C-alpha cells in the first residue's frame, strides 16, 4: 500500500490557528502524495511534505522557528530511508530555508550522519539549497513568544511515507524549544529518537520534548513494538504511554508499519496530522 502521514507538532494550539494548521498539514500530505503517485521514492515524498510546513510560519520549523535564549534561530532536521538505512541530520543550523533538504544533502554525501552548525550550513551553498539572512526566519509571533518565554503551539513537523516499491522513509524538522541554550540539539537531529525508517520494521517521526524523546529512543522503541506484533495505532499509543510513565513527558508520533498502515497518537492537548493511503479516498485530517 502507498501511504503518507504528516504531523504539525504536538502541543497546545492557539484556537485561532487550529483550522489553518489543519489545512496546512493536509496540503503537506497532498504534496507528498503527489510525489508517490508519480512513482517517486518515499524519501522525496517525506521531504516534499515537510518542506511545505517549513515554509509555513504557523509551524515551529524553518520559517516560524522558535528562538534560543539569545534570540536567534537554530534548527534541527533529519531524514532516513528504509531501503538502505541511509540517514542524514543537521543540528543548530541557521540561515537555511529548508533544514530537511539540508539533512538530505548529508544523506546524499554519505560521509557523516549528523553535521552541526556552520559546517552544515556551508553544505547548503555547495548543494545549491536556498539560504537567507538568519533574521529572515524570525516571525513576529516567534519574537513575541521569546519575549514572553511562551511555548510554541506545537513542537516540530514530520512525515513518514511508503512508496509503490514498498520502501519507507521518515523526515522531521524543528526550531526546537523556546529559550533553549545555543548549541542544544533535540530529538529531531537524532536518528532513532525523532526519526527512523527501516523497510523491515516501519517508519516514524516524533514530536515533543527532545531530551525525553532522546532518552527513550522514542521512534525506534515504537518500531520495536511493531516488530513484537503490535499494530501501528497501538505501537504509537504504547510508546507514548511509556514516555509519559517513565519520564513524565507528553509528546506525539506518526508511524507507518511495513505494509503502510498508519499509527498517529499524541498525549498533548493537540497535534494536527493528516494521512493518505491508496486504500482510502482522499486525505484524512486528524486532531
Ligand atoms: N522535538 C523538538 C525538540 O525538542 O527539539
Amino acid at each position: 500500500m502507498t501511504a503518507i502521514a504528516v504531523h504539525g507538532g504536538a502541543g497546545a494550539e492557539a484556537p485561532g490557528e487550529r483550522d489553518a494548521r489543519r489545512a496546512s498539514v493536509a496540503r503537506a500530505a497532498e504534496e507528498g502524495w503527489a510525489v508517490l503517485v508519480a512513482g517517486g521514492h518515499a524519501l522525496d515524498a517525506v521531504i516534499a511534505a515537510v518542506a511545505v510546513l517549513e515554509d509555513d510560519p504557523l509551524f515551529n520549523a524553518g520559517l516560524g522557528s522558535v528562538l534560543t535564549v539569545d534570540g536567534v534561530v537554530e534548527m534541527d532536521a533529519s531524514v532516513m530511508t528504509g531501503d538502505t538505512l541511509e540517514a542524514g541530520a543537521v543540528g543548530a543550523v541557521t540561515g537555511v530555508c529548508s533544514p530537511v533538504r539540508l539533512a538530505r544533502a548529508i544523506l546524499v554525501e554519505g560521509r557523516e550522519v549528523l553535521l552541526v552548525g556552520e559546517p552544515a550550513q556551508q553544505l547548503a551553498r555547495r548543494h545549491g539549497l536556498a539560504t537567507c539572512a538568519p533574521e529572515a526566519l524570525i516571525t513576529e509571533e516567534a519574537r513575541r513568544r521569546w519575549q514572553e518565554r511562551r511555548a510554541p503551539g506545537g513542537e516540530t513537523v514530520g512525515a513518514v511515507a511508503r512508496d509503490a516499491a514498498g520502501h519507507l522513509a521518515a523526515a522531521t524538522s524543528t526550531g526546537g524549544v523556546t529559550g533553549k541554550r545555543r548549541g542544544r540539539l533535540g530529538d529531531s537531529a537524532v536518528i532513532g529518537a525523532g526519526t527512523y525508517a527501516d523497510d523491515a520494521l516501519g517508519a516514524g517521526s516524533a514530536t515533543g520534548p527532545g531530551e525525553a524523546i532522546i532518552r527513550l529512543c522514542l521512534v525506534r522503541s515504537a518500531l520495536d513494538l511493531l516488530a513484537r506484533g503490535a499494530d501501528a495505532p497501538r505501537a504509537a499509543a504504547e510508546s507514548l504511554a511509556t514516555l509519559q510513565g517513565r519520564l513524565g513527558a507528553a509528546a506525539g508520533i506518526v508511524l507507518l508499519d511495513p505494509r503502510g498502515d498508519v499509527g498517529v497518537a499524541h498525549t498533548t492537548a493537540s497535534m494536527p496530522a493528516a494521512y493518505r493511503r491508496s486504500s482510502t479516498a482522499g486525505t484524512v485530517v486528524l486532531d
Side-chain angles (χ1 to χ4, degrees):
M1 181 164 34
T2 308
I4 184 158
V6 176
H7 70 79
E13 291 172 293
E17 293 180 353
R18 255 189 88 78
D19 291 350
R21 286 160 60 84
R22 273 148 194 77
S24 290
V25 292
R27 194 161 51 85
E30 280 153 22
E31 199 76 28
W33 183 253
V35 173
L36 296 174
V37 295
H41 194 283
L43 182 65
D44 293 320
V46 292
I47 288 169
V50 167
V52 168
L53 301 180
E54 288 180 332
D55 286 345
D56 188 327
L58 289 178
F59 296 89
N60 175 17
L63 177 66
S65 288
V66 299
L67 306 185
T68 66
V69 70
D70 306 308
V72 300
V73 165
E74 286 191 350
M75 303 170 290
D76 302 338
S78 54
V79 298
M80 185 164 185
T81 179
D83 44 358
T84 59
L85 303 185
E86 289 171 298
V90 292
V93 294
T94 193
V96 177
C97 303
S98 175
V100 76
R101 290 198 173 98
L102 187 57
R104 183 189 21 205
I106 305 279
L107 179 154
V108 167
E109 287 204 347
R111 290 176 58 179
E112 304 89 4
V113 167
L114 171 60
L115 210 56
V116 302
E118 179 58 28
Q121 288 155 212
Q122 280 171 12
L123 226 61
R125 290 183 276 279
R126 183 144 31 105
H127 284 260
L129 299 175
T131 57
C132 60
E135 311 77 61
L137 298 167
I138 301 177
T139 60
E140 277 310 307
E141 177 61 10
R143 207 179 291 285
R144 266 198 300 277
R145 286 184 194 285
W146 175 71
Q147 282 161 350
E148 297 164 13
R149 292 289 186 268
R150 192 158 41 91
E155 306 280 357
T156 309
V157 304
V160 287
R162 183 183 193 271
D163 63 28
H167 299 311
L168 298 177
T172 311
S173 182
T174 190
V177 294
T178 302
K180 66 185 180 181
R181 287 200 285 188
R182 292 190 74 176
R184 176 265 188 191
L185 303 184
D187 59 294
S188 307
V190 180
I191 296 297
T195 303
Y196 202 79
D198 179 343
D199 286 0
L201 285 179
S205 170
T207 158
E211 284 71 16
I213 292 172
I214 290 170
R215 285 184 193 125
L216 208 67
C217 293
L218 182 67
V219 170
R220 180 59 207 227
S221 299
L223 300 185
D224 285 344
L225 292 174
L226 287 177
R228 292 207 290 273
D231 63 19
R234 187 166 166 192
E238 274 192 16
S239 63
L240 294 186
T242 303
L243 190 77
Q244 187 100 58
R246 301 272 325 260
L247 296 171
I253 193 166
V254 295
L255 295 178
L256 283 183
D257 73 14
R259 294 181 308 277
D261 285 329
V262 179
V264 178
H266 61 92
T267 48
T268 51
S270 68
M271 183 182 80
Y275 68 86
R276 184 155 185 179
R277 294 187 298 167
S278 46
S279 61
T280 48
T283 299
V284 177
V285 180
L286 303 167
D287 270 350

